[in-house]
Amino acid sequence: MTDKQLILVVDDDPDLVESISMKLESQNYRVDKAYDGVEAFAHIQNEKPDLVILDVMMPRKNGYQLCDELKKSGNYSDIVIVLLTAVADAVASTNYTHLDGKSTLADDYIPKPIDLDNLMQIVHDHLE
Amino acid sequence: MKLPIDGLKIYNSLALIFLRNDLCAHIREAFHRLARQRINVNMLTLTATGGRWVGAGCISLCDLDRARAVLPESVRQSDIIYPVGMLTVFPHKSRTRLFFQLISAFYERRLALYATASATSTLSFIMDGHRLEQAAQLVQTIAELPSHHTPFTSRLHVRQL
Amino acid sequence: METIAVYWEPQIKTYGIQVRTRLRLISLHLQTGAIPGHQLDFPAEAVRKDHRLMLVTGHIQADGCFHISMLFTGAGAAPVKDLLIPCQLEPANFNITAPVELIFFQGPHYADRYGIADAALYALESKQIDLLAAACSGSAIYLVLPEGKAQHARSALNDIFVVPLK
């Protein structure tokens, strides 16, 4: 076992998952990766992370659904969830609105494109 | 021993355009015209030698007719092949062994490989569209997927205005 | 494939632009009929120590050969022969350019959006920066440049793309 905190990065863009993971590892966090909501939930059941960086728009199970499931569960409601989404000023229309995001029980909400340094600060603030 | 990977994706219905030793300025102009036609280049590989470029670019098959109208004259009919597909494995973790084992396996099974490119995490291969499933099976003889891996074909699409 | 969002932005955003210098670009020309996979792997020890693969890109050529460009760190490290001897390649079948530089970046949904490669190539052309190789794949763009050009290219890309402030 290790004292390092575990962060699960969930996004259907493997390149972004890798970039975030490399940055987190350089900040001395342990990183687990998943590429959709179903896979993420399986990982969480296998080892409970301290924090989940969670994309919204994903196949099979989207970020809102997974966030809702975790926050309403008995076992996982204390996991910090930071939602990431491209639902910013750059998106003309979408099935996933800002309002949906802000009405979730997520602990933080960051529109893409993310600034990795800013994301690291947010992660650090939540896990301090 | 199999090499661990996190996932594998396959996308079909693509066309591949080979760029054969054309002037950089011509190819630049071609990309500009494709952009003006709102045609996405899903994958691109280019090598420059002495003011000329060789390479290949992939577009969606549904954009092919519009693309033909704006490509430079140097792109001949035989320089466009379709339907092709893209097989992507991730993460590559800078493993040369993963890359070479995959391309040698494709050649041993006579799965034609037309183009390849890596990104931060992904390693993508352009192949015949009708043989993507076979290629995906072959990858699994070399690479180990996790038990709850994301499905090979599930993908969301974002459209640019 | 389900379309879940329609994207629009006046200027293309990135997650940040990165530069690597002192790299080695190895170009291989392989007969597609006989690619000996077991011979093509570079020595694991050399790769671990000095030579991290930054990029691989390739395509089949008109003569039927497969052209592969591989970009490694460690331009001044181990001798080139340490990398290529195990491949048993004839000297005519490979070429090494070093040192070279790399500029790369990624952004949201680049794989689905038109005009991104065009914008990157335009940025370089506008400042008359030559390109040695390029790959646009997934959500990333990699541009391989001659020595001393990466910072110039960064400035050119900064004019075209939105880059997060440090």
Side-chain angles (χ1 to χ4, degrees):
Chain A
M1 283 298 287
T2 169
D3 291 337
K4 288 183 183 178
Q5 289 165 304
L6 177 65
I7 298 176
L8 173 63
V9 183
V10 193
D11 197 305
D12 62 340
D13 176 353
D15 291 324
L16 183 59
V17 169
E18 192 68 12
S19 291
I20 294 173
S21 300
M22 287 191 290
K23 192 82 178 175
L24 288 167
E25 282 166 351
S26 75
Q27 307 276 314
N28 221 21
Y29 294 109
R30 275 196 306 140
V31 179
D32 194 7
K33 305 169 195 174
Y35 303 88
D36 66 34
V38 173
E39 187 184 11
F41 192 70
H43 282 235
I44 290 166
Q45 286 178 307
N46 186 46
E47 185 178 3
K48 187 176 166 182
D50 297 288
L51 184 146
V52 180
I53 296 172
L54 182 60
D55 184 31
V56 170
M57 297 189 283
M58 292 186 296
R60 293 209 287 178
K61 183 184 284 183
N62 68 45
Y64 293 156
Q65 290 170 317
L66 181 61
C67 178
D68 197 49
E69 207 170 309
L70 294 173
K71 286 298 184 185
K72 288 177 179 166
S73 72
N75 294 336
Y76 306 119
S77 58
D78 57 334
I79 300 173
V80 177
I81 297 181
V82 178
L83 274 176
L84 301 182
T85 179
V87 187
D89 54 348
V91 173
S93 72
T94 177
N95 304 347
Y96 305 90
T97 67
H98 261 315
L99 198 60
D100 291 337
K102 286 176 178 162
S103 65
T104 65
L105 298 168
D107 298 270
D108 230 316
Y109 182 86
I110 308 175
K112 288 184 187 173
I114 54 164
D115 174 347
L116 285 177
D117 290 330
N118 183 35
L119 177 63
M120 292 307 116
Q121 189 59 53
I122 287 167
V123 167
H124 179 74
D125 290 347
H126 280 290
L127 294 180
E128 203 173 29
Chain B
M1 191 171 157
K2 290 185 182 180
L3 300 167
I5 57 171
D6 289 348
L8 186 166
K9 290 279 181 185
I10 51 178
Y11 316 127
N12 231 316
S13 303
L14 300 172
L16 188 66
I17 301 162
F18 288 107
L19 307 161
R20 311 277 197 200
N21 199 29
D22 207 340
L23 289 172
C24 299
H26 289 176
I27 292 181
R28 256 287 305 128
E29 176 61 22
F31 280 111
H32 190 55
R33 290 185 197 171
L34 290 173
R36 276 210 309 253
Q37 291 290 317
R38 299 182 176 185
I39 295 172
N40 179 33
V41 181
N42 306 71
M43 195 263 241
L44 171 69
T45 159
L46 280 179
T47 308
T49 48
R52 289 178 173 267
W53 280 348
V54 291
C58 221
I59 62 169
S60 178
L61 196 51
C62 63
D63 290 329
L64 182 56
D65 287 341
R66 288 189 305 124
R68 276 198 175 109
V70 298
L71 287 170
E73 287 176 9
S74 55
V75 176
R76 297 161 301 176
Q77 196 60 33
S78 60
D79 293 333
I80 302 174
I81 54 170
Y82 61 92
V84 295
M86 187 187 299
L87 180 146
T88 298
V89 299
F90 54 89
H92 57 68
K93 293 273 182 199
S94 296
R95 288 173 291 184
T96 52
R97 176 174 293 181
L98 178 65
F99 175 71
F100 283 123
Q101 285 198 359
L102 289 174
I103 64 166
S104 61
F106 295 149
Y107 279 105
E108 279 167 17
R109 292 289 177 87
R110 300 193 181 283
L111 291 165
L113 174 63
Y114 300 116
T116 180
S118 66
T120 314
S121 170
T122 55
L123 189 52
S124 296
F125 301 95
I126 303 296
M127 324 176 80
D128 288 315
H130 68 282
R131 301 193 72 183
L132 277 182
E133 295 280 355
Q134 190 185 345
Q137 293 300 319
L138 184 58
V139 170
Q140 290 172 84
T141 66
I142 292 163
E144 185 85 53
L145 284 161
S147 53
H148 297 283
H149 66 81
T150 190
F152 299 162
T153 52
S154 67
R155 191 176 170 229
L156 301 178
H157 181 247
V158 165
R159 187 164 59 85
Q160 165 114 325
L161 279 182
Chain C
M1 214 185 311
E2 180 196 359
T3 296
I4 40 83
V6 178
Y7 220 90
W8 178 85
E9 57 188 9
Q11 198 176 359
I12 302 163
K13 291 175 181 165
T14 74
Y15 295 131
I17 294 177
Q18 297 187 64
V19 165
R20 298 283 185 277
T21 58
R22 297 189 57 72
L23 305 176
R24 181 179 308 184
L25 181 65
I26 299 178
S27 303
L28 307 176
H29 303 276
L30 305 172
Q31 296 291 332
T32 53
I35 291 188
H38 62 284
Q39 292 175 352
L40 276 172
D41 195 13
F42 295 155
E45 190 61 23
V47 171
R48 238 190 333 270
K49 273 187 176 170
D50 305 313
H51 305 283
R52 181 179 166 81
L53 180 69
M54 296 296 296
L55 172 71
V56 58
T57 176
H59 51 85
I60 200 161
Q61 293 185 305
D63 62 3
C65 284
F66 202 84
H67 175 93
I68 298 174
S69 298
M70 306 185 84
L71 189 66
F72 287 91
T73 57
V80 170
K81 64 182 173 62
D82 288 358
L83 282 175
L84 293 177
I85 280 177
C87 304
Q88 298 181 1
L89 289 166
E90 295 295 323
N93 291 334
F94 66 86
N95 182 53
I96 295 129
T97 311
V100 299
E101 297 184 346
L102 172 70
I103 189 158
F104 61 105
F105 57 99
Q106 64 189 76
H109 302 284
Y110 275 9
D112 289 331
R113 297 166 55 197
Y114 67 85
I116 307 220
D118 175 54
L121 296 177
Y122 171 77
L124 298 191
E125 185 190 46
S126 67
K127 301 287 167 125
Q128 295 168 327
I129 300 168
D130 289 336
L131 188 64
L132 297 175
C136 307
S137 175
S139 56
I141 293 190
Y142 285 72
L143 304 166
V144 184
L145 306 164
E147 187 185 22
K149 295 293 183 186
Q151 290 303 337
H152 196 193
R154 186 203 284 267
S155 159
L157 292 165
N158 269 328
D159 292 343
I160 304 289
F161 293 86
V162 179
V163 182
L165 294 171
K166 282 284 173 202

